Amino acid sequence: GQNIDQPTEMTATEGAIVQINCTYQTSGFNGLFWYQQHAGEAPTFLSYNVLDGLEEKGRFSSFLSRSKGYSYLLLKELQMKDSASYLCAVVDSNYQLIWGAGTKLIIKP
Amino acid sequence: DTAVSQTPKYLVTQMGNDKSIKCEQNLGHDTMYWYKQDSKKFLKIMFSYNNKELIINETVPNRFSPKSPDKAHLNLHINSLELGDSAVYFCASSQGGLSGANVLTFGAGSRLTVL
């Protein structure tokens, strides 16, 4: 079967750095997405990785290792507004999008 | 000027009723989707549709049906509602064809509660 694993919940402090991990076992790989979803709102696109390595976009960075079936989302200089769920999703060999359950990130002052 | 808009935002109804959720996108995207997000927060694809093809997730009961009057609209009709249908339903759209590798723009969601 196809599986995406993320921690259910993480807590971090305002101003700090947090890394949210995602491991996957899928039938093939054609890219990995990270989406942010604030409570009661729509998911919004953060990043897309298809090649190994780190992609930086402001305070957010996303890393991919295809050989390890592993990605992480790195959030720097955390702000209270970063409190949200972060969804990892993998595109499989049939170009179907497989979603993880998301990681709820709680930011404390 | 909302990119993907869906109505209603909240819908409370009785078991056995039939209901519809409407979705419109003004992004000029080619493909639209319906997703279901359950209490465990998993997003599950229900339908993917562009002007050439409809892909139905085989796990979706045939009580659910998408209807697209034009490229900018994809409505969701649900017949004989059941308690297990309670969830948040998200409409989404993307540029390009029916590929999971396209970036999705989601609507704000419609929370359906079946009593």
Side-chain angles (χ1 to χ4, degrees):
Chain A
Q2 313 217 75
N3 198 43
I4 311 284
D5 286 316
Q6 309 177 231
T8 303
E9 187 174 296
M10 298 181 70
T11 303
T13 305
E14 191 176 14
I17 299 173
V18 70
Q19 178 175 310
I20 302 174
N21 296 327
C22 171
T23 58
Y24 60 89
Q25 299 93 36
T26 56
S27 56
F29 178 85
N30 281 298
L32 184 145
F33 286 94
W34 284 97
Y35 282 80
Q36 179 190 60
Q37 185 178 22
H38 286 100
E41 297 184 11
T44 55
F45 169 76
L46 287 178
S47 66
Y48 174 68
N49 294 64
V50 66
L51 299 176
D52 290 350
L54 186 68
E55 299 249 353
E56 297 186 70
K57 199 185 288 187
R59 294 188 300 112
F60 291 12
S61 302
S62 56
F63 172 83
L64 175 67
S65 169
R66 289 171 296 170
S67 61
K68 295 181 179 178
Y70 168 69
S71 172
Y72 67 72
L73 183 69
L74 190 71
L75 291 75
K76 301 177 184 177
E77 300 169 17
L78 285 169
Q79 302 175 9
M80 297 303 292
K81 67 178 182 180
D82 297 330
S83 291
S85 288
Y86 291 86
L87 309 175
C88 173
V90 173
V91 185
D92 71 8
S93 58
N94 293 321
Y95 286 90
Q96 299 300 305
L97 195 57
I98 313 299
W99 293 84
T103 298
K104 182 178 180 181
L105 177 63
I106 299 168
I107 309 296
K108 295 186 175 180
Chain B
D1 191 21
T2 306
V4 180
S5 59
Q6 48 183 113
T7 56
K9 188 168 177 63
Y10 299 98
L11 184 55
V12 181
T13 189
Q14 300 289 327
M15 279 177 56
N17 285 351
D18 303 336
K19 290 294 177 185
S20 296
I21 306 172
K22 295 184 177 181
C23 179
E24 175 183 2
Q25 55 96 4
N26 62 6
L27 297 166
H29 284 171
D30 298 315
T31 305
M32 296 184 72
Y33 311 79
W34 277 105
Y35 277 87
K36 178 181 180 181
Q37 189 172 44
D38 60 24
S39 57
K40 295 183 179 179
K41 305 302 181 186
F42 274 105
L43 273 167
K44 296 179 183 175
I45 183 72
M46 301 178 72
F47 304 102
S48 307
Y49 181 78
N50 68 15
N51 59 0
K52 297 177 182 177
E53 192 174 358
L54 170 67
I55 295 179
I56 303 171
N57 184 324
E58 60 188 17
T59 65
V60 174
N62 58 14
R63 298 181 294 104
F64 290 78
S65 58
K67 288 190 170 54
S68 180
D70 55 56
K71 180 179 161 181
H73 297 82
L74 184 67
N75 303 324
L76 181 66
H77 295 267
I78 316 169
N79 295 324
S80 303
L81 278 157
E82 299 178 358
L83 292 176
D85 298 333
S86 295
V88 180
Y89 292 85
F90 284 100
C91 178
S93 70
S94 68
Q95 191 56 281
L98 290 162
S99 168
N102 296 321
V103 175
L104 297 169
T105 301
F106 285 87
S110 297
R111 180 175 293 277
L112 171 66
T113 302
V114 182
L115 302 176

